[in-house]
Amino acid sequence: ASVGMSRLRLFRALQTEAQEKEHLYQEAVRASRTKDQFLAMISHELRTPLTSILGWSEMLASGRLAPDMTQRAVATIDRNARAQAQIIDDLLDISRIISGKLRLAVRDIDPAQPVEAAIDAVRPAALARDVELSVSVAPQLGRLAADPDRLQQVVWNLVTNAVKFTDRGGRVDVEVSRGRENVEIRVRDSGRGIAPDFLPHVFERFSQVDASSTREHGGLGLGLSIVRHLVEMHGGSVQAWSEGLGSGSQFTVRLPFSTTAATPADDRRAHE
Ligand code: ADP
């Protein structure tokens, strides 16, 4: 009987091993498919603005463009080149995050400044989409140990998304307030909202609601994962909230006054 038992055990062990191998194989297939899809998406996202840039610059070079079209050509080239630069910057940030090489240049700052700078940068896009953008900053926020450029990037990402996913005539409200232990930055929009099943995944790398909406709005699904990483490097947290599709969204960033994330101001240059 004991021989029978050990054979059975051996058989079970082999069976488990086979199942584990099959599981690993399936994982590898899935990972490779994701990578293929991601490469195709990056190529597409970089190719689309390039097609426009090449088309318009060729027209400019030919000298056949009507004078009133010249300004439009230059503006379109500028917009598309900036979109490309944004994608490349995000990819560089993600690769620094993955390799652990991203460093903060932490200083003693007034948090209102990077927030306002970010909002000023999004204003033209809000105006173009007829989205009302309002900001309220509480007096005496206190000072933060933070990297002002990275904080501006965090707010820029959240406000850009809020404008991007809000229909014409909608609104985006940014509120900066002071809690007992942290500064709170809230970005609320009246846009399309986030479905409950997608909400837990919004901060994941490469996550988008679905391929068609991503194609419609562009983007690679990297922005929010970079946001979360930067906020956490400051010792803070970020949360997303939405009542569901059609009810708008709200993102809240909390940055603690005392952070352990502080690194010397010139650290970034030293590591890049
Ligand atoms: P990207 O905007 O480049 O796709 P993000 O990481 O910034 O990547 O956002 C991931 C996804 O989360 C978006 O594609 C969108 O589906 C959803 N999302 C982010 N912000 C909002 C928002 N304010 N309202 C609705 N959906 C949002």
Side-chain angles (χ1 to χ4, degrees):
S2 79
V3 174
M5 274 303 286
S6 62
R7 276 217 185 120
L8 189 65
R9 222 172 281 151
L10 181 65
F11 175 70
R12 290 225 171 104
L14 286 174
Q15 207 178 19
T16 314
E17 198 187 305
Q19 279 167 352
E20 272 167 11
K21 275 195 182 142
E22 174 63 18
H23 179 71
L24 283 177
Y25 173 73
Q26 292 299 344
E27 286 261 284
V29 168
R30 249 195 311 273
S32 145
R33 203 175 298 145
T34 307
K35 211 166 72 183
D36 288 350
Q37 284 170 348
F38 185 63
L39 279 176
M41 215 161 66
I42 292 180
S43 314
H44 177 87
E45 288 291 309
L46 289 174
R47 182 72 224 184
T48 307
L50 194 59
T51 304
S52 170
I53 291 169
L54 290 173
W56 283 106
S57 64
E58 205 174 298
M59 300 266 270
L60 277 175
S62 75
R64 284 185 284 116
L65 216 53
D68 59 323
M69 289 297 280
T70 308
Q71 199 49 40
R72 193 169 147 208
V74 173
T76 311
I77 289 172
D78 181 78
R79 191 178 62 245
N80 283 288
R82 281 174 199 278
Q84 264 192 331
Q86 181 62 45
I87 293 170
I88 292 164
D89 285 347
D90 278 357
L91 288 169
L92 286 173
D93 276 348
I94 281 290
S95 105
R96 283 187 199 115
I97 287 170
I98 291 172
S99 62
K101 285 194 180 130
L102 193 122
R103 293 286 183 274
L104 298 178
V106 172
R107 293 206 312 257
D108 176 52
I109 62 156
D110 168 8
Q113 273 171 8
V115 172
E116 276 158 3
I119 288 163
D120 286 344
V122 187
R123 240 176 240 297
L127 209 67
R129 287 183 57 80
D130 191 24
V131 168
E132 194 177 329
L133 180 54
S134 89
V135 198
S136 118
V137 179
Q140 286 157 0
L141 278 178
R143 297 185 71 82
L144 268 188
D147 181 330
D149 294 344
R150 294 303 189 175
L151 189 51
Q152 182 174 334
Q153 182 181 356
V154 163
V155 177
W156 183 88
N157 261 295
L158 295 177
V159 180
T160 296
N161 274 347
V163 168
K164 189 159 91 171
F165 296 111
T166 297
D167 285 336
R168 301 190 81 82
R171 54 178 305 121
V172 172
D173 295 287
V174 183
E175 217 180 281
V176 190
S177 58
R178 184 189 169 132
R180 201 139 42 108
E181 283 161 2
N182 48 39
V183 168
E184 208 172 276
I185 305 164
R186 202 180 296 266
V187 180
R188 203 168 20 198
D189 66 63
S190 66
R192 70 165 198 208
I194 302 169
D197 59 336
F198 183 65
L199 201 54
H201 305 288
V202 278
F203 293 106
E204 282 166 20
R205 201 180 293 151
F206 310 140
S207 77
Q208 299 113 4
V209 163
D210 67 78
S212 60
S213 79
T214 303
R215 291 283 72 81
E216 182 192 332
H217 294 282
L220 286 170
L222 293 178
L224 287 179
S225 77
I226 296 172
V227 162
R228 180 165 69 178
H229 196 87
L230 291 176
V231 169
E232 287 176 355
M233 281 184 85
H234 282 88
S237 66
V238 56
Q239 274 177 331
W241 173 247
S242 173
E243 293 274 358
L245 286 180
S247 320
S249 314
Q250 183 173 309
F251 286 79
T252 308
V253 173
R254 290 187 183 87
L255 298 165
F257 286 120
S258 62
T259 172
T260 48
T263 44
D266 53 358
D267 210 26
R268 187 190 297 174
R269 227 136 278 128
H271 282 83
E272 280 180 0

